[in-house]
Amino acid sequence: MCDFLVHRTHLYKPRLSSILSLSHHYHSSSSNHLLAVLRSDHSIELWNTHDSFTLERTIQPRNASHSPELVLWLEQYLITAGLDGQLIAYDPITFEILTSCHAAGGAIWSLAKHEITRRIAVGTETGHVNIYQLDEDASQFSLATSVCKQSARIVSLAWHTTDDDFLVAGSINRIYICSTRQKRTIQQINVGKLSSTSNRRGQKDTIIWCLAVTDDYTVFSGDSSGRTCVWDAVYGTLIRSFQTHRADVLCMTLSSDEQTLFCSGVDSVIVRIELVSPKSETTTTTTTTTIDSTKQWIKTISIHSHSHDVRSLTLIPSRFASIRNKEHNLSNKLMLISGGLDARLLVHDIVRDNSKPPVLWRKCFNFTQHRNKIYQKGNYFLFTYRDYIELWSIGKEGGINDNGEDILERAPKNLVQIKTKHQARVDTVAMTVKKSKDDEQVIIAMGDTNGLHVYVIQGLDIQSQLNVTPIKTYSDEQNIEQSFSSITNLLQLRFHSSSSLYALTSRSQLYCFSTSSYKLNRIISCLPSTLRFEVSSKYIATADRYGHVTIYLNSTYNILTQLPQETYQCTALSFNNDRLACAYADRSLIEYDIQQNEYSDWTRKYLKRMPLQWFSERSPIINLFYDTKDKLFVVDSTYLSIIERGKKMPGTYAKIFNSTNQTNSPIHVCKQFKYLLHVTLLSSTQLFVVELIPSSVEQCLPPALKRKRFGI
């Protein structure tokens, strides 16, 4: 394998947003297991837990007034609510807004759902508990009833899974047991105030931040004093109280068998509470009998994985997150997903019977899977931020100084910054370089919440005046002028050379433009839930959520063939003449010969026999590309791997990530990068690499709650 000159940059500084709410959607008849992650910038991320936690897409708020704080799934519909008082339902395929309404009572502080009756309970600022019904076609929300009105805001809600008449509401100093049929409070539990020397009256209000309820009408509460309490909702009595945390308990989640509870909060510790049955033995002269006494809730283990506040927890069955290697006894395993102020998703492998300690299975950062935020073409690269983009020029290598250190003849330079209008959020970008005899120009396509925008940048050399020209219209197939901004909800943009522009929308429509005259050639209707595509001079390949890869002819835009469906979705595509390389969420690789309409010989002989350690790496592949020497570059957030064609694969149990001697192996792994965001090939001997080092991630986070450690 030859050596490469690497242009390594740390200039990209994405803004980290904390996690506010998590909700998982599970449907037993499909592989569509989506985790909705709501962040503090009011964006919603959709992670596919079935496909090894692949980030499928991000839903941006469409206007500045839309500020959701809560998220949940009602069947296949995504529901959000927030302090703006809006209750919004999204389309299950395109994730565009279906319907919305303003809740009576002002800002929404809490949400709860009842799956059987398709109803949603809303807790508001003014103390109202309102119940809304979503129509069968999800065309509108209708106010079904208003359960009760309290003097303080309703901070938390929990609904009985089967008994739709039993609703629990948490407020300040009190827990209310409500009857939805009688429309009143039938039980009131006084939690009480805390002693506080800082308060003039010597007492401090207790806020009930989170609630959970079991089928036997046992209620769990987490409050601002750091306590997790177990209540008998029928009699309104306290069963058990645990001082689980040193600060507010903000979230909790209950397992499906209602035997395990996890809670966490400001002190970032996740505590497990279990229902156990203590046994007492009575011994006689002839026999020994065992008597089961009443089951009790006890505190068992603590998990110290987060560094900052934990805002949301959820439990999912382990088989949804399993990868290529099969697990045994999956019914005894769970996946605990947590997120908070440190902006990362943590996934722990949990055993139901607590026979093994929890294992941190995966750390998920959203910036490591943003495929359309960084773009490089020629001597320029593009960085995408929340509401603006930056065009940079690549530095030039200037040799080695006397100390053996590399020096730059020309440092990277920020050429231009383009901001969106009306604080619109950027979804995706693309760029191409068009060269002429006298000048070269950069064409940038940017998709934001207002639509598609095209810019032509000229005068990039030092002697010329920089000029940015927006292209606002295009000609459709009937030669009628249309606005680019009318094309909305964009998922991906791609240029082919400098002659064609392709735009994929959330409705699975692929727009094909000619950039010479900015004319629309064709709109291709792709398969539903199409997420990404790749373009070459002869072909167009699209991939959807369900493992389908479809190939179109670039000349006629007709379907040429479709690859065999895989269990996992395709996460990266790359063309090399008449060959198409595909990477799937379980890290399997295939190469398809389009002319022969079958898998290539390299796939059948070698790629299907990759070492098992290749599949043990849990980061999905985010990029693929070929070089001119039949080398396939594979990029994930941790490793840059180069696979050579024509060589025999190492053994099944070969340690490819741990080995230092990779001379004879066709798989070469580069481990010197951390949090790889983007890798492209500048030439046959040069690579352009964008990485985000872990120390810069930690610097973006706010101060955490101080922990007292031994010896400090």
Side-chain angles (χ1 to χ4, degrees):
M1 187 188 80
C2 62
D3 295 328
F4 290 92
L5 175 65
V6 178
H7 294 258
R8 188 174 182 177
T9 177
H10 300 156
L11 297 172
Y12 188 55
K13 305 293 183 184
R15 189 184 305 175
L16 301 182
S17 299
S18 59
I19 296 173
L20 299 181
S21 182
L22 302 173
S23 182
H24 185 257
H25 171 59
Y26 155 65
H27 197 280
S28 58
S29 62
S30 70
S31 60
N32 186 15
H33 308 299
L34 294 180
L35 175 71
V37 179
L38 177 63
R39 295 191 177 265
S40 58
D41 63 350
H42 311 302
S43 64
I44 306 169
E45 297 170 353
L46 300 179
W47 298 72
N48 196 318
T49 58
H50 174 270
D51 291 348
S52 190
F53 284 84
T54 300
L55 178 59
E56 289 192 353
R57 60 169 300 182
T58 302
I59 307 170
Q60 302 285 4
R62 294 298 156 186
N63 53 69
S65 62
H66 181 205
S67 55
E69 304 275 343
L70 302 164
V71 63
L72 59 81
W73 292 94
L74 186 66
E75 295 179 348
Q76 74 270 29
Y77 298 102
L78 183 66
I79 310 294
T80 62
L83 299 181
D84 57 355
Q86 289 191 77
L87 193 63
I88 300 176
Y90 293 84
D91 186 274
I93 298 177
T94 65
F95 291 99
E96 299 176 10
I97 295 178
L98 277 179
T99 183
S100 64
C101 72
H102 283 273
I108 299 175
W109 281 85
S110 54
L111 276 181
K113 66 176 179 179
H114 197 269
E115 288 281 4
I116 300 175
T117 58
R118 287 171 54 92
R119 295 194 293 175
I120 300 172
V122 173
T124 65
E125 173 74 25
T126 57
H128 289 87
V129 179
N130 301 323
I131 297 179
Y132 289 86
Q133 181 83 43
L134 184 63
D135 294 348
E136 289 294 332
D137 56 353
S139 59
Q140 66 175 359
F141 288 105
S142 57
L143 180 61
T145 183
S146 182
V147 177
C148 62
K149 169 67 174 71
Q150 305 300 333
S151 58
R153 68 171 67 107
I154 305 299
V155 182
S156 54
L157 287 170
W159 212 331
H160 198 279
T161 54
T162 56
D163 186 1
D164 64 327
D165 186 44
F166 189 84
L167 180 65
V168 186
S171 184
I172 300 175
N173 300 322
R174 290 177 177 85
I175 299 173
Y176 302 99
I177 310 299
C178 306
S179 172
T180 59
R181 298 191 185 99
Q182 300 179 28
K183 300 180 183 180
R184 66 182 184 90
T185 302
I186 58 176
Q187 183 74 263
Q188 179 176 299
I189 301 174
N190 190 1
V191 179
K193 297 184 178 182
L194 297 175
S195 299
S196 176
T197 56
S198 61
N199 197 315
R200 291 181 180 179
R201 298 182 180 180
Q203 289 184 326
K204 185 179 179 181
D205 288 332
T206 302
I207 305 174
I208 313 301
W209 288 117
C210 51
L211 290 168
V213 59
T214 65
D215 289 343
D216 62 352
Y217 300 94
T218 300
V219 174
F220 299 88
S221 66
D223 56 44
S224 57
S225 66
R227 294 177 303 173
T228 301
C229 300
V230 187
W231 305 88
D232 186 339
V234 177
Y235 298 100
T237 56
L238 179 65
I239 300 175
R240 193 99 189 249
S241 177
F242 304 94
Q243 191 66 41
T244 53
H245 298 80
R246 297 185 297 111
D248 300 49
V249 181
L250 300 178
C251 55
M252 60 175 53
T253 182
L254 191 65
S255 62
S256 58
D257 59 359
E258 299 180 349
Q259 303 293 309
T260 305
L261 178 84
F262 290 92
C263 58
S264 188
V266 175
D267 65 356
S268 72
V269 180
I270 303 175
V271 177
R272 178 172 182 168
I273 299 175
E274 286 187 88
L275 182 63
V276 299
S277 52
K279 297 180 180 181
S280 58
E281 294 186 353
T282 59
T283 307
T284 62
T285 55
T286 56
T287 60
T288 301
T289 60
T290 302
I291 304 173
D292 290 339
S293 59
T294 306
K295 291 185 177 181
Q296 296 180 2
W297 290 95
I298 63 170
K299 175 183 171 183
T300 55
I301 60 172
S302 299
I303 304 173
H304 301 264
S305 297
H306 283 276
S307 60
H308 291 68
D309 307 18
V310 179
R311 298 293 302 272
S312 188
L313 296 169
T314 187
L315 280 168
I316 66 172
S318 181
R319 61 180 178 274
F320 298 155
S322 62
I323 52 175
R324 187 183 179 94
N325 52 330
K326 302 300 181 182
E327 299 275 0
H328 296 285
N329 195 17
L330 289 176
S331 61
N332 193 37
K333 290 189 176 182
L334 296 171
M335 286 286 181
L336 174 65
I337 308 173
S338 56
L341 204 61
D342 54 7
R344 57 185 176 182
L345 280 175
L346 295 188
V347 185
H348 287 86
D349 197 355
I350 305 294
V351 181
R352 288 183 187 268
D353 57 9
N354 207 10
S355 58
K356 295 181 180 179
V359 177
L360 181 59
W361 186 80
R362 177 86 182 277
K363 292 181 182 180
C364 302
F365 287 98
N366 58 350
F367 54 78
T368 61
Q369 295 195 43
H370 284 162
R371 298 169 176 82
N372 304 316
K373 299 294 186 182
I374 302 174
Y375 211 92
Q376 180 273 327
K377 197 70 175 179
N379 294 323
Y380 307 97
F381 58 93
L382 199 64
F383 286 158
T384 304
Y385 295 92
R386 183 178 299 176
D387 56 357
Y388 66 93
I389 59 176
E390 290 180 348
L391 178 65
W392 291 70
S393 63
I394 296 177
K396 185 177 180 181
E397 190 261 342
I400 300 175
N401 60 13
D402 297 336
N403 298 326
E405 299 174 346
D406 293 332
I407 58 175
L408 289 176
E409 179 182 324
R410 184 182 69 246
K413 182 181 178 181
N414 189 349
L415 299 175
V416 67
Q417 183 184 100
I418 302 175
K419 286 193 172 184
T420 61
K421 294 182 178 179
H422 311 296
Q423 299 179 347
R425 304 287 184 88
V426 181
D427 290 319
T428 180
V429 293
M431 178 182 67
T432 188
V433 179
K434 192 174 183 179
K435 295 184 178 181
S436 60
K437 294 182 179 179
D438 302 328
D439 190 17
E440 66 177 4
Q441 60 184 16
V442 173
I443 304 176
I444 296 176
M446 178 180 68
D448 60 21
T449 51
N450 290 333
L452 175 61
H453 309 276
V454 180
Y455 301 93
V456 178
I457 303 176
Q458 295 174 315
L460 294 169
D461 55 345
I462 301 175
Q463 294 81 13
S464 304
Q465 179 70 28
L466 192 68
N467 183 27
V468 180
T469 305
I471 308 297
K472 297 184 178 180
T473 60
Y474 68 92
S475 300
D476 64 7
E477 295 174 292
Q478 286 78 32
N479 290 323
I480 301 175
E481 291 289 321
Q482 301 287 346
S483 173
F484 271 116
S485 60
S486 63
I487 304 174
T488 58
N489 298 305
L490 291 162
L491 296 181
Q492 186 182 353
L493 295 169
R494 186 76 73 195
F495 282 99
H496 175 61
S497 65
S498 58
S499 60
S500 302
L501 170 64
Y502 301 84
L504 177 65
T505 68
S506 61
R507 296 185 179 182
S508 300
Q509 292 180 327
L510 184 61
Y511 289 77
C512 307
F513 296 95
S514 173
T515 55
S516 58
S517 58
Y518 295 101
K519 177 179 174 58
L520 177 64
N521 296 327
R522 181 71 67 89
I523 300 177
I524 302 175
S525 296
C526 305
L527 293 177
S529 301
T530 296
L531 299 174
R532 54 191 61 91
F533 69 95
E534 187 58 50
V535 181
S536 72
S537 58
K538 297 173 63 176
Y539 308 106
I540 302 172
T542 63
D544 66 2
R545 177 183 298 154
Y546 305 105
H548 298 104
V549 175
T550 307
I551 301 176
Y552 300 82
L553 277 175
N554 206 345
S555 56
T556 62
Y557 305 108
N558 295 325
I559 294 179
L560 178 63
T561 186
Q562 191 175 73
L563 275 64
Q565 183 181 5
E566 298 288 339
T567 306
Y568 300 91
Q569 66 176 274
C570 180
T571 58
L573 299 159
S574 180
F575 282 105
N576 184 18
N577 297 327
D578 291 325
R579 300 195 300 264
L580 173 65
C582 301
Y584 291 89
D586 63 343
R587 296 182 60 86
S588 61
L589 297 169
I590 64 104
E591 186 185 65
Y592 198 79
D593 191 323
I594 302 174
Q595 290 288 347
Q596 300 296 327
N597 198 19
E598 62 181 10
Y599 290 130
S600 66
D601 293 337
W602 187 39
T603 300
R604 291 194 297 267
K605 293 180 180 179
Y606 302 115
L607 288 183
K608 291 291 187 180
R609 301 177 182 179
M610 296 284 283
L612 289 179
Q613 193 184 32
W614 175 266
F615 303 103
S616 65
E617 173 60 33
R618 291 157 186 168
S619 299
I621 296 169
I622 58 174
N623 192 17
L624 287 174
F625 58 91
Y626 286 93
D627 74 343
T628 57
K629 299 178 181 178
D630 277 348
K631 293 185 180 69
L632 180 63
F633 290 73
V634 182
V635 183
D636 58 44
S637 62
T638 308
Y639 301 109
L640 169 60
S641 306
I642 304 174
I643 305 176
E644 295 186 76
R645 293 172 57 91
K647 286 188 177 181
K648 185 179 179 181
M649 285 293 170
T652 305
Y653 302 100
K655 304 297 182 182
I656 55 175
F657 295 130
N658 304 334
S659 176
T660 56
N661 184 15
Q662 300 177 353
T663 306
N664 299 323
S665 174
I667 305 175
H668 307 274
V669 180
C670 179
K671 298 175 283 189
Q672 61 179 333
F673 305 111
K674 186 63 174 178
Y675 298 150
L676 270 172
L677 305 184
H678 184 80
V679 180
T680 52
L681 199 64
L682 292 177
S683 66
S684 59
T685 59
Q686 296 186 29
L687 283 173
F688 176 72
V689 176
V690 181
E691 66 173 337
L692 187 65
I693 57 178
S695 59
S696 63
V697 176
E698 299 298 328
Q699 292 172 2
C700 298
L701 301 177
L705 183 69
K706 184 178 179 181
R707 294 183 185 179
K708 184 178 179 181
R709 300 183 183 275
F710 180 77
I712 299 177

